[in-house]
Amino acid sequence: MEEETSQMVTVSVVTLGGTAEEAILITVPRDAPLGDVKKALADMFERPEIASDGRFLKKMPNGATVNMHDNQKLGSRKELIYEGPALALAPEAAPLLTLEEFDGFDEKVEVQSPRSLRAL
C-alpha cells in the first residue's frame, strides 16, 4: 500500500501587523512551496495580484522581518506572515452615474425624457 505523498495541512495566514482573529485559514499540501500557497490565496479571493505582488515574511528574534522565497517549502509551518495586496475579494466597480459613462452613447441622439430612452 502506498503512503499518501502530499498530506494536506491547514495554515493560518496573518497580514503584517494583523491579529490572529483576522487570520485567513487555507488548506494546502504540506510539501507545497510558498509560491503555491500564494497562488491558492489568489484563487480563493480571485485576485491574481496576490500571487504576483504578495510575499511571505519570517519574523526574526530581534523583531525584524525578512522575505521568504517562493520556492521554499511550507514544511511544518502552521502560521505565515503575509504582506501585499489585501486578502479580500476585489471591490466591485462603481455603478455608472451618467449617460456619458455608458458604452455606446451617441452624442447625436437627444434624450429628452425616460420615455425617449425606451423608443431607442
Side-chain angles (χ1 to χ4, degrees), residues 112-120:
Q112 297 175 355
S113 73
R115 290 183 186 183
S116 62
L117 282 175
R118 274 192 245 155
L120 295 176

Side-chain angles (χ1 to χ4, degrees), residues 47 88-93:
R47 297 186 66 187
L89 293 173
E92 290 186 20

Side-chain angles (χ1 to χ4, degrees), residues 96-116:
L96 302 176
L97 301 176
T98 65
L99 288 176
E100 289 82 16
E101 293 176 348
F102 284 92
D103 286 337
F105 178 69
D106 187 2
E107 294 180 10
K108 297 176 188 172
V109 176
E110 186 175 321
V111 177
Q112 297 175 355
S113 73
R115 290 183 186 183
S116 62

Side-chain angles (χ1 to χ4, degrees), residues 11-114:
V11 180
S12 174
V13 179
V14 180
T15 57
L16 184 64
T19 63
E21 290 82 29
E22 300 168 339
I24 305 295
L25 297 178
I26 189 162
T27 303
V28 293
R30 180 182 301 277
D31 61 351
L34 295 178
D36 288 355
V37 177
K38 283 196 314 186
K39 288 176 192 166
L41 285 168
D43 291 343
M44 176 188 282
F45 293 109
E46 299 175 356
R47 297 186 66 187
E49 65 270 17
I50 291 174
S52 61
D53 300 338
R55 60 189 180 149
F56 289 118
L57 305 171
K58 180 178 181 181
K59 190 166 238 175
M60 302 304 286
N62 65 359
T65 56
V66 295
N67 289 339
M68 296 173 69
H69 297 286
D70 283 351
N71 57 359
Q72 190 173 354
K73 300 285 185 191
L74 179 61
S76 62
R77 292 183 184 87
K78 297 287 183 196
E79 183 175 289
L80 294 169
I81 301 171
Y82 170 83
E83 181 180 56
L87 296 176
L89 293 173
E92 290 186 20
L96 302 176
L97 301 176
T98 65
L99 288 176
E100 289 82 16
E101 293 176 348
F102 284 92
D103 286 337
F105 178 69
D106 187 2
E107 294 180 10
K108 297 176 188 172
V109 176
E110 186 175 321
V111 177
Q112 297 175 355
S113 73

